[in-house]
Amino acid sequence: MATPGLPPLPPALKAIQHYLKTATEHEQRDQVVAYYCQLYAMQKGMTIDRKSPDCKHFLVSLMDLLEKKKQQLIDNEAVHNEMVGQAHVENYALKVFLFADNEDRAGRFSKNVVKSFYTAGMLFDVLTNFGELSDDVEKNRKYAKWKAAYIHRCLKNGETPTPGPLPEEGDDASGGSNYDDHVPQQGGGMMPQSGPSASGGLNLPGPSQYPMDGSMYNPGAGSYAPPTTPQEVPRAVHAPVNPPIQPNVNSQWAPPPNPAGVELNATQYQKAMKLCKYASSALQYEDSKTAIDNLSKALKLLTTGSE
C-alpha cells in the first residue's frame, strides 16, 4: 500500500513499511493516529539510513508531508501538544488491544484478531515517540506481538489456538521474526471506524460484522455496533495512564528560577522542547538554517515567554 504524496519506499527502509500502511489505513479514521504513525516511521527510518540518496529523498519527503499535516491540523491539540497526543494514541492502542484480547479469550480466532493484535503492537511502538514506555505498556506491546504471531501461525497450520496467555508466553514474547512478511492485508483486518462515539470512545465493530471483501473500508452509516464490554479487565491489560505521583510535602525542592526572570508554564516548556527537537532533526540533515531558526525561537520563548 503506497503512501499518497510519497515516493516509493526504498528497500533499505522496509522495516517502516507497516507503520506507513497503518497510517494510510487511518487517514480517514483517525488523523492523529495516522500522523504519529508516520512520525514514528520517519524517526525509525532515520536510524536505519538517512544518507543514501533514495532513503534521504524518501525521508525528506516524509518530513515535508508531516509539516503539511501539522498545518492542516493546526487546531488539533493532539498533534501540537505531545501530552495530549500521547494520551490519544495510548487510549486508541488500548482499545484495539482490548478488542483483540476479548475475541481471543472468547475463542473467536480469525485474521481480524491477528491484525488487531498486530496493529496494537505497532501502535505501542509508536508510543515511543513520546519517550520510554512504562512497564505496563511494554508488557502489552510484547504480548500483542506474540499473540499476533502465535494465532497467525496456528491458523496457517490448521491448528486451533489456545485462548489467552500460555504458560510459555514469556519464552517468546517478542512476537516472532516472520510475522511481518505475512501480515494480513487490507480487507482482512480490524480497524475502528473514524470519529469518537457519543461516549467519547471509538466505535469498534463486532466480530460477526467484518466483511472480508474490503467493503469495511468504506462503511455506511450505522454499519457496525461496538463490541460487548468485557466483564473484567483481561490479565494482560493494564491501565493506560499511570496514577499521578503525589508530591512529597516534606520536600524543599523547587525548580531553579528562570535566569531571565520570566515565569513559564508547562505548555511553554513543552513548546520549547518541541522546537529543540525540530532543531535536532534539522541537524541530522545538516540543515543549519532550520536548526538555527528553531533554536532561536526556543531561546526567545524561554527568555521572554512569547514566541
Side-chain angles (χ1 to χ4, degrees):
M1 182 187 300
T3 301
L6 292 178
L9 182 70
L13 298 180
K14 182 182 178 181
I16 69 174
Q17 177 181 2
H18 293 305
Y19 300 99
L20 294 173
K21 285 184 177 180
T22 301
T24 301
E25 291 170 347
H26 281 81
E27 285 292 351
Q28 302 302 319
R29 296 177 177 79
D30 193 310
Q31 290 183 308
V32 173
V33 170
Y35 172 83
Y36 282 112
C37 284
Q38 289 178 332
L39 180 62
Y40 177 81
M42 184 195 74
Q43 293 176 342
K44 185 176 178 67
M46 288 174 65
T47 66
I48 297 172
D49 183 355
R50 63 175 186 268
K51 294 294 186 181
S52 62
D54 56 343
C55 290
K56 182 175 182 179
H57 175 59
F58 181 87
L59 292 171
V60 169
S61 299
L62 180 54
M63 184 180 292
D64 290 341
L65 180 64
L66 286 167
E67 287 300 319
K68 290 178 182 177
K69 280 192 172 184
K70 285 185 65 177
Q71 293 303 315
Q72 294 170 356
L73 301 173
I74 191 68
D75 296 326
N76 194 318
E77 189 179 9
V79 172
H80 297 272
N81 185 317
E82 290 191 356
M83 292 181 66
V84 178
Q86 179 179 8
H88 182 103
V89 176
E90 187 168 346
N91 183 58
Y92 188 98
L94 190 63
K95 285 180 181 292
V96 177
F97 180 88
L98 276 168
F99 172 84
D101 191 75
N102 212 28
E103 294 296 286
D104 169 54
R105 290 168 188 268
R108 294 188 288 262
F109 304 110
S110 67
K111 290 182 179 180
N112 301 317
V113 176
V114 176
K115 179 68 177 291
S116 300
F117 270 126
Y118 187 70
T119 299
M122 286 194 297
L123 292 176
F124 289 135
D125 286 343
V126 170
L127 284 171
T128 60
N129 279 327
F130 308 100
E132 186 176 354
L133 299 180
S134 68
D135 289 342
D136 289 345
V137 173
E138 181 62 36
K139 288 176 183 177
N140 286 345
R141 174 168 72 161
K142 290 182 178 181
Y143 183 83
K145 291 185 177 185
W146 165 73
K147 259 297 180 177
Y150 168 71
I151 298 176
H152 171 76
R153 184 170 60 249
C154 288
L155 295 178
K156 182 180 179 181
N157 296 334
E159 302 170 356
T160 301
T162 300
L166 299 180
E168 65 271 26
E169 71 177 84
D171 296 337
D172 182 18
S174 64
S177 59
N178 298 322
Y179 180 73
D180 282 4
D181 295 329
H182 306 284
V183 60
Q185 300 301 312
Q186 182 170 346
M190 187 285 295
M191 286 294 161
Q193 296 184 61
S194 60
S197 67
S199 62
L202 295 172
N203 295 319
L204 303 181
S208 64
Q209 296 167 305
Y210 287 114
M212 301 303 290
D213 58 0
S215 60
M216 67 171 289
Y217 287 83
N218 296 285
S223 298
Y224 305 124
T228 302
T229 303
Q231 296 301 310
E232 61 180 79
V233 177
R235 284 173 287 168
V237 178
H238 305 272
V241 179
N242 291 325
I245 300 175
Q246 298 299 323
N248 183 352
V249 295
N250 297 319
S251 173
Q252 300 299 316
W253 181 88
N258 185 300
V262 178
E263 292 189 7
L264 302 175
N265 57 38
T267 300
Q268 290 169 317
Y269 277 115
Q270 291 166 10
K271 178 65 175 179
M273 289 172 60
K274 192 176 298 184
L275 289 168
C276 290
K277 287 182 180 180
Y278 294 158
S280 177
S281 296
L283 288 173
Q284 290 180 310
Y285 284 99
E286 301 177 358
D287 184 353
S288 58
K289 181 179 181 298
T290 301
I292 292 172
D293 180 55
N294 282 288
L295 288 173
S296 298
K297 290 179 180 178
L299 183 60
K300 179 182 178 182
L301 178 59
L302 291 172
T303 54
T304 68
S306 60
E307 300 179 29

